[in-house]
Amino acid sequence: MPRPPRSDRPNHARRGGRPARRPNAAEQAGAPAPKGSARGRAPAPIRTDGPVLELEVERIAHGGIAVAHHEGRVVFVADAIPGERVRARVSDTAHERFWRADTVEVLEASADRREHVWAEASVDRAPERRAGGAEFGHIADERQRALKAEVLRDALSRFGGVERDVVVQAVDPALAPGARADGTGWRTRVRLHVAADGAVGPYAARSHTVVPVASVPLAVDELAALAPLSERFPGAVSIDLVAPSGADPQLVVSDGERMPRGERPVTSEVVGDRRFTVDRDGFWQVHRGAAATLTKAVQAAVDADRFDPRAANLDLYGGVGLLAAAIGDRFGDTVRITSVESDERATGHAGANLADWVGARALTARVDRFLAELEADASAGERARLREATVVLDPPRSGAGRDVVDRLAALRPAQLVYVACDPVALARDVGLLRRQGYELEHLEAFDLFPNTHHVEAVARLAAIV
């Protein structure tokens, strides 16, 4: 296919079409951002001469890294499974309380260890040359989901004060045609990076080093076929591969220059019988079956006995209207719902995407400011309709946070349906809401990012009368 101009670039970096955090550039290639690194700052180079330790791997931690101890010090170990004994090279000693290390040899393997689904990410490669973005690819699928459930369960206990069993569900294969049973073939958006010599590849794990690869197995087949892995792009910064469900796959070359907002191309995504317009550089769930999975999960999470279609229902961090549409499709065309999103272009698309419902509207506003204005200016009648409301919120990875939680609690909606991509952020907000008189009633978790540590959850919290 002809290459587009280099300025014609997507930036799949924010939820719901707003341009900046989830996932970041490294995460689009699948590589999680180094924890604690400043935004836009390259992480410290990985040490290749650190000491090699023999470690007993104890458990998994938030972020997908395993935990071990050496002479009383915590060691976070990549590419290991709890219960294994490994040799690991220390890669980072900058922190007094812990070190980081990478597995270089498995001495006693878990029964759940398998050949890595991405050869270029295997422990057979030197740590600094391992492709990032498939950090659980060496673990059997069921164990991956069990580890994610363990992290979510532990976070809810520690930060939310909730003891709750958790099961992480695989995506229904009927919702993700082409995705394979080993957790490959699901990514509809992939970002590859370009090295100084023009070579193309993902970043190595926890670094900004471009790693040449011969395959991108997590990508859907049409993107795997399109990926220019053997070509060179001198002067480019990144290559974006996009496979919308309602349009042809595309390859976009970026030289790092931002496209003027008015010139951003749009595309379409299809969920069931509904079509959504979204900026090509806006956020859309990357798993082929994710949007349909979350639509069904949000519909199931709403307690119908508490739902009032005439109440002042809200869809916060609403993006292009996916979850507001899920509410409308479940409860009919009499539903009143306001979708609130900070990005003006996403809000414009949401208005068009929600045009089926006379009572639906899309507002451009920061969620915290929108809630503050509601709290300050709502009439007695509006407050009554807010107390009967259902609020859906799908915040960025950092969560809603104390300010938004406090303002929501002050408005006292009947129920909250919270979509979360980070276990600790969800658990923290659950804890804040519990202190404000809400209780966790319903929780489902989904493996929308197979072969990575990421997990998505949908929770319902209800006001205690």
Side-chain angles (χ1 to χ4, degrees):
M1 61 175 288
R3 285 207 184 98
R6 290 190 171 173
S7 61
D8 187 11
R9 77 174 186 83
N11 174 23
H12 315 291
R14 278 281 287 268
R15 293 185 79 82
R18 29 190 206 280
R21 166 68 191 100
R22 184 204 172 205
N24 65 23
E27 291 158 348
Q28 276 301 321
K35 202 157 187 152
S37 63
R39 188 172 171 187
R41 182 186 304 165
I46 296 175
R47 286 186 60 182
T48 59
D49 60 349
V52 175
L53 311 176
E54 188 171 309
L55 301 169
E56 302 283 343
V57 182
E58 301 162 16
R59 60 182 178 85
I60 206 73
H62 177 54
I65 205 82
V67 179
H69 285 82
H70 176 72
E71 297 180 351
R73 185 190 302 273
V74 172
V75 183
F76 292 115
V77 192
D79 302 316
I81 305 174
E84 291 188 326
R85 187 163 62 89
V86 302
R87 296 178 71 243
R89 176 175 290 114
V90 174
S91 60
D92 181 358
T93 58
H95 303 272
E96 292 183 6
R97 295 171 54 197
F98 64 86
W99 288 347
R100 295 185 183 275
D102 297 283
T103 300
V104 294
E105 183 181 0
V106 180
L107 302 175
E108 294 180 9
S110 165
D112 295 311
R113 179 172 284 274
R114 67 181 181 187
E115 185 175 347
H116 205 291
V117 297
W118 197 359
E120 290 93 339
S122 168
V123 292
D124 297 334
R125 270 198 170 196
E128 67 275 12
R129 302 299 294 166
R130 290 176 198 165
E135 64 275 7
F136 274 9
H138 60 290
I139 308 174
D141 298 285
E142 288 190 9
R143 184 69 185 281
Q144 288 187 37
R145 292 191 286 273
L147 291 173
K148 295 178 188 189
E150 179 182 322
V151 170
L152 180 52
R153 185 168 53 245
D154 179 66
L156 286 170
S157 175
R158 292 175 57 200
F159 301 105
V162 175
E163 301 297 331
R164 192 179 188 97
D165 193 25
V166 178
V167 175
V168 175
Q169 305 172 47
V171 174
D172 182 347
L175 301 179
R180 293 178 282 276
D182 65 352
T184 60
W186 56 267
R187 288 193 71 101
T188 61
R189 284 160 168 76
V190 173
R191 173 165 289 176
L192 301 171
H193 303 277
V194 181
D197 64 358
V200 173
Y203 283 145
R206 300 177 304 285
S207 86
H208 286 175
T209 300
V210 176
V211 178
V213 296
S215 64
V216 281
L218 301 194
V220 295
D221 289 343
E222 54 264 51
L223 291 189
L226 195 62
L229 301 176
S230 61
E231 299 182 41
R232 290 186 180 266
F233 294 80
V237 171
S238 62
I239 310 293
D240 284 290
L241 307 172
V242 189
S245 54
D248 292 334
Q250 299 176 61
L251 179 153
V252 185
V253 181
S254 169
D255 61 3
E257 295 295 321
R258 289 191 64 84
M259 183 186 301
R261 290 176 61 83
E263 298 178 14
R264 291 179 186 168
V266 300
T267 188
S268 65
E269 297 283 356
V270 177
V271 182
D273 297 327
R274 189 165 295 284
R275 184 175 291 270
F276 293 84
T277 298
V278 60
D279 278 1
R280 190 186 60 190
D281 66 346
F283 173 81
W284 188 259
Q285 291 283 345
V286 295
H287 192 295
R288 174 148 281 169
T293 298
L294 291 177
T295 292
K296 294 176 66 174
V298 166
Q299 290 172 335
V302 175
D303 181 353
D305 292 336
R306 291 192 180 99
F307 187 81
D308 180 354
R310 299 291 186 180
N313 301 299
L314 298 174
D315 172 29
L316 304 180
Y317 312 95
V320 298
L322 172 68
L323 301 183
I327 299 299
D329 281 339
R330 179 179 175 190
F331 292 102
D333 56 12
T334 64
V335 166
R336 289 185 59 198
I337 191 163
T338 299
S339 183
V340 182
E341 167 58 53
S342 62
D343 183 72
E344 186 176 0
R345 284 191 55 92
T347 305
H349 294 318
N353 294 334
L354 299 174
D356 287 5
W357 297 277
V358 174
R361 60 176 182 154
L363 297 180
T364 303
R366 277 181 41 167
V367 167
D368 55 347
R369 293 175 184 171
F370 169 79
L371 294 175
E373 290 176 8
L374 271 186
E375 188 179 357
D377 301 334
S379 66
E382 289 171 329
R383 285 183 175 275
R385 288 191 292 274
L386 283 163
R387 285 193 294 273
E388 299 299 321
T390 294
V391 175
V392 179
L393 61 158
D394 183 14
R397 183 165 294 164
S398 56
R402 182 180 296 275
D403 187 35
V404 168
V405 166
D406 287 349
R407 295 190 185 284
L408 272 176
L411 296 170
R412 205 67 181 170
Q415 61 182 327
L416 307 171
V417 175
Y418 190 130
V419 180
C421 61
D422 184 276
V424 169
L426 171 64
R428 181 207 62 210
D429 288 347
V430 165
L432 292 172
L433 284 162
R434 292 183 71 236
R435 288 192 283 276
Q436 295 277 14
Y438 283 81
E439 280 299 336
L440 180 65
E441 292 187 336
H442 170 96
L443 180 68
E444 287 190 295
F446 301 94
D447 194 13
L448 300 188
F449 310 92
N451 292 311
T452 82
H453 72 275
H454 299 290
V455 62
E456 198 94 2
V458 177
R460 181 181 73 238
L461 296 103
I464 302 170
V465 179

